Amino acid sequence: MARSRALEHLRICDFTGQLAGAGATRFLAAFGAEVIRVEDPVRQGMWDILRGVPPYVDERRGLDLGGGFNNHNVEKYGITLNLRKEAAREILRELIAISDVVTENFAAGVLARMGFPYDELRRIKPDIVYVSNCGFGHTGPYQTYKTWGPIVQAMCGLTFSSGLPDMPSAGWGFSYMDHHGGNFMAIAIMCGLIHRNRTGEGQWIDMACTEAGATLNGPALLDFTVNGRRMRRPGMPNSNHSQFPAMAPHNIYATDGDDNWVAISCRDDADWIALAKVVGEPWTADVRFASPDGRLADEAELDGRLATWCRSLERHAVAADLQAVGVPAAAVARPQERVDLDPNTAAWGLWPTVSHREMGDVQVDGLPVHFSETDWVLERGAPCLGEHTEEILVRLLGRTPAEVASLHAEGVL
Amino acid sequence: MSAADTNAVAEAMPAALAMPAALPGPLVGLTVVELASEHGAFAGKLLADLGADVVLVEPPGGHHTRAFEPFLDDRPGPERSLWWWHYNTSKRGIVLDLQSPQGAASFARLVADADVVLEAEPPDRLVGLGLDHPQLRAAHEELIWVSITPFGRAAGLPRRNELATDLTVLAAGGPVWNCGYDDHTLPPVRGGGNQGYQTACLWAVSSALAAVLQRELSGRGQHCDVSMHAAANVTTEAGSYEWLVANATVQRQTGRHAATVVTQFTRTTGTDGIDIHTGFPPRSVAEYQGVIDWLDELGARDEFADIVLLEMAVERGGVQLWELASDPLAMEMFGAGRDAFIFIAQRLGAYEFFHGSQQRGLACAVILAPEEVFEDEHYRARGFPVDVEHPELGRAFTYPGAPFLMPASPWRIGSRAPLLGEHQHLVDFADEKG
């Protein structure tokens, strides 16, 4: 199987899991970095709660068969080390000594308690780039507190800022900050490498996912610090409308059928004039709606009128008719429509098939970028528990297969 | 937290994470030419705050995002947009008319000295101006060119000319389907804060950095074609992979993950009216005992009807998740743990519950409004609020700070967003050099 050669010169000693950490090293692995997942054989790698949980490709169950785990760990190698034993710690030291980066998203302090605090990492490899990622980081008053995606999102403002007026916040229907925890962490890793390559200096980069998340509400934050306006006020959140910038109409409207919706946004007067022509009903000529300020002032009435117009129409037809006259509009896509029926995601190659030792051929998320010279490649599925232990110990760390067998027998691997 | 507590935290901070004085950021020396845009501004900000020298190119009269809300004191004006302020920190600004031969030539000369071009123009605009990446990379093979478009730039992409806003990208790309309320007569919800654009921008930055690392090896740059629609599509967690793996469709649920099954409610409200995410119910012996002790501390043991179930859970060694499907009693004990949590939460202020729960080892959260991060002791202790000088106003304002702590090469807002044409001398310099 082929591998991208973009980052083939980089090796990551990787303790990450879930998505918030695994997503970061997934990016690097897709571009060919040698990412070596280190897992605990005693707990069968179940620190990563996605190992072995649904969805499954068939009726089989087991810790190598979780669909989410496969999705997040494609193109990585997997080894097991029982770090309770000195022989395993010695192997880890050897691996760190030939790695560029050590990554983890344990709760704060866990890797240090396993015997590998940053001071030990840099003793082993002076220019190591160590990136830790947890909800509240390794310093500060909440450093012992636990999080996962929805907790992070609640504590950074992203849950609150998503919802309909006069309702409790809806928040995010998935771990949005696990995705961006991974994305920010990938950026942190590469910044650490670029700095090291220029100066020869490694460092410990500590990421608190809550802080990364809090950077994603910028204009609302400045509206508070500059103007004193809080989002905790009547009528907010109101995220199907657009505040920054303000525009109307801008909403999600029900269409023909069950749970079918179309999103429409009018950016300016030109969009409004084009939309009004497509709608073709007398109310669109109301002078109150002729200016942005007028549309915003009577946004509720405008929404009601447009909702009535949309209600009996087919959502894809509405979107197509509006796109044809230059108005941004899109049907709210269901998973099947995005994955199996969208010609653009197909043409992009967005859902590549990887080969997994136990699961077989499985489609996974691709990357939303294409490189003209050294593009990403996703062909290998996630490693089964310990799938590459022998390969890595023999190829990189100079052990013989016989030595690996006896280390297994001694409970080291 | 008292000042003494804050000092204690600072003293306990590992020396390796202490933030030193003004060191350059990790991307110092990297030069970026960015065409001002709504869709890509956040990517330029990330690069600039990480130390890259980002020159922002606006059209004559200024880019239209200078007219985006909110405004300083709610009064519009080209130097008063807080949207502009936020997304353009640490950049330098020039004005060029790319449609004039002179402006196009100046742009080409700036690009000739740049490491990275960042643009989010409509797919064919730069081709028409003779300023696209094939032309400009031909003379400069180290150049990295990052494009952000709604559906990708490559010829043959069927939807490449569709228009998009943040709302329509998130609707077409999947996140909207996942978000909203249990009541499906209510519309699904777009997450707030222009997350569709920002998602693509995070991918643009990671792509630019990967291309920089690749160039250290090959000496060659390349074109990185980022699709906002594709970025949204791979930012839905199980929304996509439930379909990819099992052809199952997730359904939205109030404040919880969209899922193929209806899950238990995780939300309640404290006595102060602030919403709480109650996290995951107790499972281990220690967690169950912690909840019992907490009820005792509150003097509320007798008011909680299912105390016996909590005690049974302690005696049997806790509850395992895999038992729930087959053991009705385990399910009852699991449910009692959740009910106890909600029972306690409704008797406390949100922060009081948060600390009490977390100190017992159980993850939960206060549902903070965005601005409340500036008032929370965690964010303050880690230096998240940062002050940025606006010399022309004679004032400093507080901005959101670093996404990660990077002590040897720290993230930093080097300067407030550029005024219109503030660094026009850069054009003259490039032209003279050219």
Side-chain angles (χ1 to χ4, degrees):
Chain A
M1 279 184 277
R3 230 181 239 291
S4 173
R5 306 199 61 183
L7 302 179
E8 64 179 350
H9 54 310
L10 298 175
R11 183 177 297 129
I12 321 290
C13 175
D14 183 23
F15 289 93
T16 65
Q18 282 47 270
L19 173 59
T25 53
R26 181 191 208 267
F27 176 91
L28 299 168
F31 283 104
E34 188 172 48
V35 176
I36 303 171
R37 274 186 71 99
V38 180
E39 296 185 90
D40 177 10
V42 177
R43 294 181 62 192
Q44 296 197 301
M46 288 303 286
W47 170 76
D48 190 333
I49 55 170
L50 293 179
R51 257 202 179 284
V53 306
Y56 307 110
V57 291
D58 53 30
E59 69 289 344
R60 290 175 299 152
R61 303 290 178 264
L63 55 87
D64 288 325
L65 299 171
F69 182 86
N70 178 53
N71 192 71
H72 306 329
N73 292 288
V74 288
E75 291 293 338
K76 301 179 189 177
Y77 296 88
I79 70 170
T80 48
L81 289 177
N82 178 6
L83 294 173
R84 297 161 195 81
K85 293 187 180 279
E86 173 53 27
R89 290 196 293 272
E90 177 52 30
I91 292 167
L92 180 60
R93 283 191 281 269
E94 292 175 33
L95 179 61
I96 290 167
I98 56 167
S99 293
D100 300 282
V101 181
V102 173
T103 47
E104 52 101 347
N105 64 318
F106 295 128
V110 168
L111 189 62
R113 288 196 292 276
M114 288 160 71
F116 292 87
Y118 174 59
D119 283 343
E120 173 66 3
L121 301 178
R122 69 175 159 183
R123 189 192 63 74
I124 300 165
K125 180 85 184 325
D127 66 351
I128 197 77
V129 174
Y130 166 45
V131 185
S132 58
N133 168 10
C134 59
F136 292 116
H138 280 65
T139 67
Y142 301 171
Q143 60 182 279
T144 61
Y145 289 3
K146 293 177 184 166
T147 64
W148 79 97
I151 302 299
V152 166
Q153 286 150 214
M155 292 298 296
C156 72
L158 285 167
T159 298
F160 187 96
S161 55
S162 298
L164 301 176
D166 308 316
M167 296 280 296
S169 60
W172 289 78
F174 59 101
S175 286
Y176 180 65
M177 277 313 297
D178 271 27
H179 284 281
H180 288 336
N183 289 332
F184 272 113
M185 189 180 186
I187 290 168
I189 293 165
M190 290 187 284
C191 281
L193 288 166
I194 288 168
H195 176 79
R196 182 205 66 175
N197 292 354
R198 193 181 65 254
T199 65
E201 177 185 42
Q203 63 185 307
W204 175 6
I205 303 172
D206 185 41
M207 184 172 139
C209 228
T210 47
E211 290 159 11
T215 68
L216 298 174
N217 262 317
L221 293 176
L222 290 196
D223 201 23
F224 171 67
T225 61
V226 175
N227 291 329
R229 185 177 293 112
R230 289 175 177 272
M231 195 182 286
R232 190 181 292 282
R233 67 178 193 270
M236 296 298 283
N238 184 9
S239 61
N240 282 357
H241 283 162
S242 184
Q243 289 84 37
F244 310 135
M247 50 178 138
H250 182 284
N251 214 333
I252 296 171
Y253 304 93
T255 58
D256 184 32
D258 180 31
D259 209 15
N260 289 337
W261 307 87
V262 67
I264 299 172
S265 54
C266 261
R267 297 161 297 179
D268 50 28
D269 287 342
D271 282 354
W272 168 248
I273 290 165
L275 172 72
K277 196 174 276 184
V278 171
V279 173
E281 294 180 356
W283 60 268
T284 59
D286 191 321
V287 290
R288 289 176 302 152
F289 299 149
S291 72
D293 286 347
R295 290 192 296 277
L296 286 163
D298 288 308
E299 190 170 17
E301 183 183 337
L302 187 56
D303 270 342
R305 296 276 193 183
L306 202 50
T308 303
W309 177 73
C310 287
R311 192 67 187 89
S312 62
L313 302 174
E314 198 279 320
R315 65 199 154 113
H316 295 99
V318 174
D321 288 350
L322 293 177
Q323 285 283 349
V325 296
V327 178
V332 173
R334 294 158 190 265
Q336 180 183 20
E337 292 165 338
R338 299 185 291 109
V339 172
D340 291 345
L341 306 174
D342 184 326
N344 215 77
T345 63
W348 185 269
L350 193 58
W351 315 109
T353 298
V354 299
S355 172
H356 183 277
R357 195 181 75 183
E358 301 297 326
M359 297 169 73
D361 288 351
V362 192
Q363 277 185 288
V364 296
D365 292 343
L367 272 61
V369 61
H370 282 302
F371 280 28
S372 60
E373 312 298 317
T374 57
D375 206 8
W376 52 273
V377 175
L378 295 181
E379 294 188 355
R380 292 166 176 76
C384 294
L385 186 66
E387 181 173 343
H388 305 100
T389 305
E390 179 173 323
E391 176 190 336
I392 295 295
L393 263 63
V394 170
R395 176 162 62 86
L396 296 180
L397 303 177
R399 302 298 197 279
T400 64
E403 286 170 328
V404 172
S406 69
L407 287 167
H408 265 298
E410 291 157 20
V412 172
L413 305 177
Chain B
M1 186 161 67
S2 70
D5 290 340
T6 309
N7 289 338
V9 167
E11 280 162 23
M13 184 180 281
L17 287 179
M19 292 299 268
L23 293 168
L27 303 183
V28 66
L30 190 77
T31 58
V32 179
V33 175
E34 176 189 352
L35 290 178
S37 71
E38 179 181 9
H39 298 166
F42 183 56
K45 169 186 167 62
L46 284 165
L47 293 168
D49 293 343
L50 288 164
D53 179 7
V54 177
V55 176
L56 182 62
V57 181
E58 293 184 73
H63 191 256
H64 74 272
T65 53
R66 288 181 178 273
F68 279 6
E69 294 82 357
F71 299 106
L72 168 64
D73 300 329
D74 293 333
R75 299 208 320 271
E79 307 299 354
R80 306 180 69 87
S81 163
L82 306 186
W83 193 104
W84 179 266
W85 286 14
H86 172 70
Y87 284 117
N88 294 297
T89 54
S90 309
K91 303 176 188 176
R92 298 194 286 175
I94 62 171
V95 173
L96 287 179
D97 180 4
L98 298 186
Q99 308 199 65
S100 78
Q102 192 190 354
S106 295
F107 177 71
R109 277 191 286 274
L110 279 171
V111 170
D113 278 339
D115 296 291
V116 178
V117 170
L118 172 66
E119 55 91 6
E121 298 296 310
D124 295 319
R125 175 163 187 258
L126 294 173
V127 186
L129 295 171
L131 293 174
D132 203 10
H133 66 92
Q135 293 103 329
L136 296 182
R137 283 178 52 229
H140 180 8
E141 71 164 13
E142 292 177 34
L143 183 64
I144 294 161
W145 188 293
V146 181
S147 303
I148 301 171
T149 54
F151 290 87
R153 283 195 58 179
L157 288 170
R159 300 178 72 176
R160 72 191 287 274
N161 294 318
E162 280 189 31
L163 300 165
T165 63
D166 188 77
L167 173 75
T168 66
V169 159
L170 292 172
V176 165
W177 176 259
N178 285 39
C179 302
Y181 298 92
D182 291 296
D183 177 357
H184 285 196
T185 64
L186 294 169
V189 169
R190 171 189 74 140
N194 289 332
Q195 306 303 332
Y197 299 155
Q198 293 185 151
T199 295
C201 285
L202 285 166
W203 283 97
V205 171
S206 55
S207 298
L209 300 184
V212 166
L213 285 167
Q214 208 290 317
R215 190 180 67 171
E216 291 177 1
L217 210 59
S218 68
R220 287 170 56 82
Q222 51 190 318
H223 179 227
C224 306
D225 182 7
V226 178
S227 156
M228 300 191 321
H229 175 249
N233 262 285
V234 296
T235 309
T236 73
E237 211 184 1
S240 295
Y241 67 70
E242 279 283 1
W243 186 265
L244 289 165
V245 174
N247 279 10
T249 299
V250 298
Q251 302 291 342
R252 62 188 185 274
Q253 316 190 43
T254 308
R256 291 109 72 203
H257 277 43
T260 56
V261 294
V262 177
T263 58
Q264 297 289 338
F265 215 67
T266 53
R267 189 76 70 83
T268 191
T269 304
T271 52
D272 48 10
I274 306 293
D275 285 345
I276 294 166
H277 190 299
T278 53
F280 211 74
R283 282 173 288 166
S284 71
V285 170
E287 289 167 351
Y288 273 106
Q289 190 59 53
V291 172
I292 294 169
D293 293 346
W294 201 359
L295 285 166
D296 284 336
E297 282 170 37
L298 295 169
R301 164 184 281 262
D302 296 338
E303 293 171 57
F304 184 66
D306 288 335
I307 188 84
V308 177
L309 285 168
L310 302 181
E311 288 170 337
M312 284 170 65
V314 171
E315 282 165 24
R316 83 192 285 274
V319 169
Q320 305 293 326
L321 283 183
W322 54 263
E323 296 177 309
L324 300 180
S326 56
D327 183 344
L329 189 59
M331 190 69 213
E332 277 195 53
M333 288 184 275
F334 187 70
R338 185 179 50 247
D339 293 347
F341 240 49
I342 291 173
F343 175 89
I344 292 170
Q346 290 171 346
R347 277 158 182 75
L348 299 173
Y351 264 108
E352 208 181 344
F353 177 78
F354 167 67
H355 289 301
S357 173
Q358 287 278 10
Q359 284 160 8
R360 289 168 174 81
L362 286 154
C364 72
V366 184
I367 299 177
L368 295 177
E371 64 274 7
E372 289 161 358
V373 303
F374 287 127
E375 297 159 342
D376 179 274
E377 60 185 278
H378 157 76
Y379 292 90
R380 297 177 75 89
R382 283 179 52 101
F384 185 75
V386 297
D387 287 339
V388 176
E389 293 290 337
H390 284 242
E392 73 291 348
L393 298 173
R395 294 171 68 183
F397 298 97
T398 303
Y399 281 60
F404 40 77
L405 303 185
M406 196 170 181
S409 50
W411 176 102
R412 176 185 298 105
I413 293 180
S415 58
R416 53 106 178 95
L419 307 176
L420 184 58
E422 184 174 355
H423 305 94
Q424 202 63 24
H425 62 275
L426 296 171
V427 179
D428 304 333
F429 181 71
D431 288 350
E432 282 164 26
K433 213 175 145 196

